[in-house]
Structure formats: structure tokens, C-alpha cells
Amino acid sequence: MSARSKARKRALDVLFASEMRNRSTAEALEDQAEAGVVNEYTVTLVQGVTERRTRLDEVISTYAQGWTLDRMPAVDRNVLRMATFEVLYVDDVPDAVAVSEALNLVRDLSTDESPAFVNGVLGNIVRDRDLLTR
């Protein structure tokens, strides 16, 4: 597993934990840092998702036809936030890599239906990327 793949998994852990425990992402990130398992890209993802969460949720809600964010499994919701952040705001990560990494996470950690759902949402976001970043 690459360093960035591990960073994504740790960022998902932080985002998921903060949501489930109703704590700030800063507190959850600090807990991870104290355990010695945070690298720079984990921090980039967590801070980026936190700072742009409103916009990310708008985009995801637009493309998640028939699903509200609250209705999605928490893992899917947070993976979609991270991958959408990477697609829209991280220039050194190819879109295909962001999507592939997201699919790996939901394949390992979520429901059997999650990979198809996440792939569909992210595929449409990638398709419309230029319109969404204006």
C-alpha cells in the first residue's frame, strides 16, 4: 500500500470518527497525531474536506441522484467528500487515481452496493469537473 493510500485511509478514519463522535476534525486529527500515525497528506485531506465541506456536500448532493447525504452510509459519505476534494482541488492527483482509491476504500469498508454507487457519483463529478471548478 502506497503512502498516499495509507494517508487516505487515515484521513477517512479521522473524518469518520469525528462525525460518529460528534467531535471536531481537529480533535480527531490530534488524537491520530498523538498515536503517531498522521502524515502530511492525511492533514491535507482532513483540513481540505473540513474547510470545503459545504461546497463538497453541495456537489455530492447534486450528483447522488435519489440519495441524501444523511441517507448514505457514513463511510460512503466521507469517502465521497475526500475523493471529490481530490478531484476538484488537488492538482497532483489524477482523477482516475482519486476514483480508484475511493473505490478501494468503500470496497473494503462499506456495503456491497457502495462501489457501484460511489463510482457513479464520482464518474459524473469527474466528467463535469471543469464546470464545477469555475
Side-chain angles (χ1 to χ4, degrees):
M1 183 180 282
S2 75
R4 283 218 167 161
S5 293
K6 290 178 185 176
R8 286 180 186 92
K9 171 66 172 80
R10 289 186 182 117
L12 176 60
D13 291 344
V14 169
L15 294 169
F16 183 85
S18 73
E19 186 174 317
M20 293 298 107
R21 295 182 180 136
N22 206 20
R23 297 176 65 207
S24 75
T25 54
E27 290 173 323
L29 191 59
E30 187 176 312
D31 290 346
Q32 289 282 327
E34 288 174 5
V37 293
V38 174
N39 71 21
E40 185 178 325
Y41 198 62
T42 299
V43 173
T44 297
L45 288 172
V46 171
Q47 289 178 341
V49 167
T50 302
E51 291 168 4
R52 291 186 164 88
R53 183 170 166 176
T54 300
R55 176 65 179 145
L56 297 171
D57 286 355
E58 286 173 2
V59 170
I60 294 164
S61 294
T62 299
Y63 289 93
Q65 298 173 348
W67 285 84
T68 63
L69 286 169
D70 291 338
R71 191 170 160 225
M72 289 177 202
V75 169
D76 296 5
R77 180 174 48 247
N78 285 294
V79 166
L80 282 167
R81 286 173 177 152
M82 282 192 330
T84 301
F85 171 75
E86 285 187 300
V87 167
L88 298 181
Y89 302 107
V90 181
D91 294 333
D92 68 334
V93 174
D95 295 343
V97 171
V99 172
S100 176
E101 291 285 335
L103 293 177
N104 288 338
L105 286 168
V106 295
R107 196 173 291 121
D108 291 344
L109 302 170
S110 198
T111 70
D112 291 341
E113 296 81 22
S114 292
F117 173 71
V118 168
N119 188 51
V121 173
L122 291 176
N124 289 327
I125 290 170
V126 167
R127 179 196 66 213
D128 295 345
R129 180 178 188 255
D130 292 339
L131 297 172
L132 296 170
T133 56
R134 288 184 185 170

